[in-house]
Amino acid sequence: MNTKNKIAGLKILLAAGFLLVLLNSVPIVNAQQNEIKWHPFEEAISLAQETGKPILVDVWAPWCGWCRKLKKEVYPKLSAELEKYILTRLNREDNKTTVRFQGKNLTPLRIAQKIKAETVPTITVLNSDANYLIHLSGFMKSESLQPVLSYIASGEYKKNPLRSTCKKGS
């Protein structure tokens, strides 16, 4: 075997080795394991009433980078916790289409206002009867969001509501 062939063979071995190391360092995620099922708003309300699950409303806007980050990075990490919710999304910028909410045809913008989503991203949680429970404004990491979602999904809020620990004037 001449020197050129040895060098070519060595390059192929190095490339194959590099590829194996690279493939072994990339985590393989089961796509179905982290698949998030989003429902149209009206369907989410019906499903929540049927199942008794709370509704998580992700209020977003097409231009919002933090909204995309929440959907792509945070929600997949919380997929097990999110199974305890009926999930829906509202485009806060949509002031044209209408959906039925609380007996009225409203735009997603108007619904967002009614559920206290004044900015994006906002996560609003409604109970299974579509009544407001809580809203969380701004981007949240999964580590911060998980305890809140767990607390609400457990139903513990019915016995021990969250209370502010801030003193008046502080």
Side-chain angles (χ1 to χ4, degrees):
M1 193 177 217
N2 67 28
T3 306
K4 279 187 173 181
N5 288 342
K6 286 181 183 179
I7 292 173
L10 186 57
K11 286 181 180 178
I12 291 171
L13 280 174
L14 285 172
F18 178 75
L19 186 58
L20 284 172
V21 169
L22 183 64
L23 288 174
N24 284 328
S25 67
V26 175
I28 297 173
V29 178
N30 179 352
Q32 294 202 342
Q33 181 183 19
N34 287 333
E35 190 173 314
I36 307 291
K37 174 70 173 150
W38 298 97
H39 300 277
F41 189 79
E42 291 177 79
E43 180 183 314
I45 292 173
S46 294
L47 285 170
Q49 290 171 341
E50 291 171 18
T51 63
K53 290 182 178 182
I55 304 165
L56 182 141
V57 183
D58 176 40
V59 182
W60 64 284
W63 50 264
C64 175
W66 290 111
C67 299
R68 287 189 297 276
K69 186 174 176 83
L70 193 63
K71 185 179 178 194
K72 289 181 182 178
E73 295 178 20
V74 175
Y75 292 143
K77 290 180 184 176
L78 297 171
S79 61
E81 197 66 47
L82 292 174
E83 288 179 7
K84 300 171 188 170
Y85 287 82
I86 302 298
L87 307 175
T88 190
R89 301 185 81 220
L90 281 178
N91 175 356
R92 195 174 190 295
E93 300 291 302
D94 183 353
N95 198 23
K96 293 183 181 178
T97 61
T98 59
V99 293
R100 196 99 178 126
F101 181 61
Q102 297 178 338
K104 297 177 183 169
N105 289 327
L106 302 171
T107 65
L109 171 62
R110 184 66 189 117
I111 294 169
Q113 292 168 338
K114 286 180 84 60
I115 62 173
K116 302 180 183 185
E118 297 297 327
T119 61
V120 291
T122 293
I123 297 168
T124 298
V125 179
L126 309 174
N127 68 14
S128 60
D129 292 325
N131 295 315
Y132 172 87
L133 292 177
I134 189 172
H135 74 276
L136 307 164
S137 297
F139 177 82
M140 292 185 73
K141 292 183 178 181
S142 59
E143 302 82 27
S144 300
L145 186 53
Q146 190 278 328
V148 176
L149 295 178
S150 181
Y151 180 78
I152 293 169
S154 74
E156 188 64 27
Y157 72 90
K158 295 173 186 174
K159 296 181 262 178
N160 298 309
L162 290 171
R163 291 189 174 90
S164 173
T165 57
C166 297
K167 295 178 184 170
K168 194 171 187 172
S170 60

